[in-house]
Amino acid sequence: MRSIAVLFALAASAFAFSVTEPTNSTGWTTSGPNQVSWTKVDTDAANFTIVLVNQAHFPPTKQVLDALVDASLGKIVVNPPSGGWKTGSGFQVNLVKDAENTDAILAQSEQFTISTSTSSTFSTATSGSVSASAASGPSLLHLPRAVRAALLAPRPAAATLSTPPAPTPLPPLTRTAPLP
């Protein structure tokens, strides 16, 4: 009877969230963009929180990168944690229940390295590819995800703008009593 319970537990875990990126061979860079990809099944949670952890070094670190991620997306580009991306090895991405339950791990990536980089290429399905160099100025990657999406969204054709009407002038002020 015990072996049947173990078999069911193993079968259930084989059909749950699985982090497919980053991996120990792809890793991340300090300039990004850094993507998290995953697979899911219909019985998985509708959303989760992405946490960057490093248990391989002392003191261990844990940083929430994105909360309430829509699980149906399958991948997302994450913003750097406060203080930027730290270089090193032994990092892992955890998909957790929510920001208050970061120990309730739904899936965990392989250990990977974050290495120094001076340029990046950001790509989306709707806007093509945009390249940026660290020397060319601010990067879109440091903006919140919603702002990046709005900036990179396809734009409608330019509309004809009209000049707004001139404001109505205010009447002059009059003093009715002397100042003390």
Side-chain angles (χ1 to χ4, degrees):
M1 188 64 160
R2 186 178 213 183
S3 62
I4 293 174
V6 170
L7 182 62
F8 280 124
L10 289 173
S13 68
F15 298 105
F17 281 116
S18 176
V19 178
T20 57
E21 190 179 0
T23 66
N24 61 4
S25 61
T26 60
W28 281 357
T29 63
T30 54
S31 64
N34 293 318
Q35 181 170 288
V36 177
S37 302
W38 61 90
T39 59
K40 69 178 255 11
V41 296
D42 292 338
T43 56
D44 285 331
N47 55 54
F48 55 82
T49 294
I50 299 174
V51 179
L52 179 66
V53 299
N54 194 327
Q55 304 292 324
H57 299 285
F58 188 81
T61 59
K62 184 184 295 188
Q63 177 78 43
V64 172
L65 297 179
D66 208 340
L68 294 172
V69 175
D70 180 353
S72 67
L73 294 175
K75 65 181 175 181
I76 190 168
V77 173
V78 291
N79 289 318
S82 57
W85 299 111
K86 305 292 184 205
T87 59
S89 60
F91 289 98
Q92 288 181 289
V93 167
N94 290 346
L95 307 186
V96 300
K97 181 178 177 183
D98 56 50
E100 288 76 38
N101 296 291
T102 58
D103 292 327
I105 299 172
L106 305 172
Q108 189 171 54
S109 74
E110 299 174 3
Q111 285 193 1
F112 62 93
T113 299
I114 299 177
S115 56
T116 303
S117 177
T118 58
S119 67
S120 65
T121 300
F122 181 76
S123 164
T124 66
T126 59
S127 66
S129 180
V130 177
S131 293
S133 169
S136 68
S139 167
L140 292 176
L141 298 175
H142 296 287
L143 296 173
R145 181 175 30 150
V147 173
R148 281 195 325 262
L151 290 172
L152 296 173
R155 308 267 160 119
T160 304
L161 299 176
S162 61
T163 306
T168 306
L170 295 173
L173 293 176
T174 58
R175 190 176 355 170
T176 57
L179 291 174

